[in-house]
Amino acid sequence: MFKTRLISGIVLVILALATIICSGPVLLVTLIGVSCIGMQELYRAAGVHEGKTNGLEIASYLEIVIYYLAVAYLPVSYHLPAVILGVLVMMSIFVFTYPKYQNKQIMTAFFGMVYVGVMLSYIYQTRVLPGGAFLVWLIFLCSWGCDTCAYCVGVLIGKHKMAPVLSPKKSIEGAVGGVVGAALLGAIYAVATGSYNPNPAHTPLIYAIICGVGAQVSMVGDLAASAIKRQENIKDYGTLIPGHGGILDRFDSVIFCAPLIELLLRFLPAVGGA
């Protein structure tokens, strides 16, 4: 299992590197695909998907494509209307096909679009910031870096359960190790990229703070995804990534990190540097 998980993790990192470096349409299409797969996983778990893809799901996938196109090619003032359009379409489907869908299915469909699709779009929005080619990696340092450090510290010295009912294997020691590890990775990353991003506002301390805060939020994202799985009585969201599960199993912390990191970076003067 460990070997499979390691190989899958390496492949995932390589794919992330390739798509994020390419940016533009390649990253856009990749995130649309990842979002739609993640939405389908959630819909399957929560009862929106019942054996075969239905009209409500198809509308959700089309809406997230429209939203991503608005993010990529239209001013920011169009982003929220693109989300509101999703509400209008889904409620219209609810009304004109009544009683085909239950309230829970409609609400879950919209929630899935925002929770997975909209929040993951902040990877793209961070990538297109000035200096985004370097800044976007802070999202993954926060999330995947925290996951890795928390796991290692938890295995070595973890004794006190952080959320015994929700996630029995997670420990307080692991959580602290994850936050400290992510902050350290952020500081190291600032030093490593300093010659490419000479902006004086982007210091090792600032990156450490951003990654430390992001790591704490990433753990909430991890636990939130676990809470959904517990209530739906499933182990993993899918089997797409061997050793890891589905898209949501691997991107649960990224989903929470991406919007926060993009927001924090906007508070820095002259985001990104050269």
Side-chain angles (χ1 to χ4, degrees), residues 15-48:
L15 290 175
L17 279 167
T19 55
I20 291 174
I21 289 172
C22 288
S23 189
V26 173
L27 179 59
L28 184 70
V29 171
T30 300
L31 285 173
I32 290 174
V34 169
S35 296
C36 288
I37 294 171
M39 288 163 62
Q40 185 186 54
E41 291 175 352
L42 181 64
Y43 293 163
R44 188 185 300 114
V48 176

Side-chain angles (χ1 to χ4, degrees), residues 23 46 158 172 201 229 249:
S23 189
I172 295 175
K229 288 192 289 187
D249 295 295

Side-chain angles (χ1 to χ4, degrees), residues 42-126:
L42 181 64
Y43 293 163
R44 188 185 300 114
V48 176
H49 179 92
E50 297 178 318
K52 61 180 181 179
T53 303
N54 56 49
L56 183 58
E57 289 180 85
I58 293 172
S60 301
Y61 303 144
L62 290 176
E63 280 302 320
I64 208 60
V65 171
I66 292 172
Y67 171 77
Y68 269 94
L69 292 176
V71 167
Y73 300 111
L74 296 177
V76 69
S77 58
Y78 288 89
H79 298 182
L80 181 58
V83 176
I84 293 174
L85 178 63
V87 180
L88 298 177
V89 170
M90 289 177 194
M91 291 306 294
S92 296
I93 291 173
F94 183 44
V95 169
F96 291 112
T97 63
Y98 189 85
K100 182 176 181 179
Y101 300 106
Q102 301 298 312
N103 293 341
K104 178 186 175 182
Q105 291 176 302
I106 299 296
M107 290 185 286
T108 301
F110 179 69
F111 170 75
M113 191 184 83
V114 176
Y115 170 58
V116 183
V118 173
M119 292 178 76
L120 278 178
S121 76
Y122 281 88
I123 296 175
Y124 181 88
Q125 295 185 59
T126 305

Side-chain angles (χ1 to χ4, degrees), residues 160-173 175 219 222-224 226-227 230:
H160 301 87
K161 302 298 182 183
M162 183 174 70
V165 176
L166 185 56
S167 188
K169 293 183 179 180
K170 287 182 170 57
S171 66
I172 295 175
E173 292 85 356
M219 288 188 286
D222 188 2
L223 290 171
S226 295
R230 294 293 179 271

Side-chain angles (χ1 to χ4, degrees), residues 123 136-150 178 182 185 211 214-219 222 250-258 261:
I123 296 175
V136 69
W137 298 106
L138 293 174
I139 295 172
F140 299 95
L141 286 176
C142 289
S143 53
W144 293 350
C146 178
D147 286 348
T148 302
C149 293
L185 288 172
C211 286
Q216 295 175 60
V217 173
S218 79
M219 288 188 286
D222 188 2
R250 185 63 277 178
F251 284 83
D252 49 9
S253 54
V254 174
I255 285 172
F256 269 51
C257 268
I261 298 305

